[in-house]
Amino acid sequence: MNRPTLTATLSKETFQQFYWEKKELVAFCRENAIPSNGSKQTLAERIAHFLQTSEVLKPEKIKRVGPWDSEAPITPSTLLVNYRNDTKTRAFFVSQLGEAFRFNAYLRAFAKAPPQEKITYGDLVIGWKKAETEKKEPGYQTKIGKQFEFNQFTRDYSSYKNKDKLPHNSREAWQIIRSKPGPNTFEHYLFLSQKT
């Protein structure tokens, strides 16, 4: 079975078997009056729900309780409650870490979801230093988010020891795997290649 066209008549199960680019998901949402904001994963969940029930899921509004942490002076002992990557938060980190400071993936994660345990901005400074140190270790690779399947696929393809024996280059291999049902992984591509 080859990749079908994304339409409102597609079953949820078929939809979930294939890879879809975010622009395709956004276009489908707009055509069907489904909210088109959010991450690729969020859009896919809304579309799957729509295909199964014909109901449009409205985005959940996350209500912040209280002011942003940066609305008051931040110190190392300030508890993290409502974190935001803004100029005042950056000024705190620059005061602790120097002018070379940049928001990294470690800190950006706190802007998306509050921590499960109580931590302070001093703890964030320590976590930032640790994350930056790990980047310098031999063999370090940044973590690729689940929604970035193409990036993970090309990394896995590139690190495969026998890639010169594969029947396709990485871009061709990606086009093949995304057009077939099943996981969009390099491992699945290898499995399909061995079957042919």
Side-chain angles (χ1 to χ4, degrees):
M1 172 185 207
N2 285 328
R3 184 174 177 263
T5 303
L6 179 52
T7 65
T9 59
L10 199 63
S11 73
K12 171 188 171 187
E13 292 73 25
T14 302
F15 168 73
Q16 292 178 324
Q17 288 180 345
F18 291 92
Y19 174 85
W20 307 97
E21 292 182 3
K22 185 171 182 180
K23 65 183 178 183
E24 295 173 294
L25 302 179
V26 169
F28 179 87
C29 287
R30 289 180 178 158
E31 289 167 12
N32 293 280
I34 301 169
S36 60
N37 62 323
S39 69
K40 184 176 172 184
Q41 182 178 350
T42 299
L43 296 177
E45 288 167 4
R46 286 182 197 148
I47 293 170
H49 180 80
F50 176 79
L51 293 174
Q52 184 175 27
T53 66
S54 298
E55 296 173 2
V56 173
L57 280 179
K58 300 292 182 193
E60 288 184 34
K61 292 190 177 181
I62 299 170
K63 293 187 178 180
R64 176 173 42 93
V65 178
W68 293 110
D69 297 345
S70 57
E71 290 179 26
I74 299 174
T75 68
S77 61
T78 300
L79 279 175
L80 187 142
V81 179
N82 290 312
Y83 178 86
R84 179 164 70 168
N85 288 332
D86 61 8
T87 55
K88 291 179 182 177
T89 304
R90 183 182 191 291
F92 164 76
F93 285 116
V94 167
S95 75
Q96 302 294 306
L97 299 162
E99 289 295 327
F101 167 78
R102 298 288 178 270
F103 287 109
N104 59 14
Y106 169 77
L107 290 177
R108 285 191 294 273
F110 291 102
K112 294 177 183 174
Q116 298 301 313
E117 71 280 351
K118 288 188 176 185
I119 61 173
T120 65
Y121 277 77
D123 296 326
L124 293 184
V125 169
I126 293 167
W128 184 90
K129 287 179 181 177
K130 182 180 177 192
E132 292 299 302
T133 300
E134 286 174 358
K135 286 183 188 177
K136 297 172 185 168
E137 293 176 5
Y140 171 80
Q141 290 187 327
T142 55
K143 291 179 183 158
I144 297 176
K146 181 181 167 189
Q147 72 274 27
F148 301 112
E149 296 168 294
F150 171 73
N151 296 359
Q152 187 65 58
F153 183 91
T154 54
R155 176 186 282 178
D156 294 344
Y157 185 101
S158 296
S159 62
Y160 186 63
K161 291 183 177 160
N162 295 321
K163 62 179 165 273
D164 56 327
K165 295 181 181 171
L166 294 174
H168 310 96
N169 66 37
S170 67
R171 194 153 293 277
E172 293 168 337
W174 172 249
Q175 292 303 320
I176 290 167
I177 200 66
R178 68 170 278 191
S179 70
K180 302 286 184 194
N184 301 304
T185 62
F186 180 67
E187 291 76 22
H188 190 59
Y189 166 75
L190 287 177
F191 171 75
L192 294 176
S193 296
Q194 292 167 358
K195 286 177 69 176
T196 56

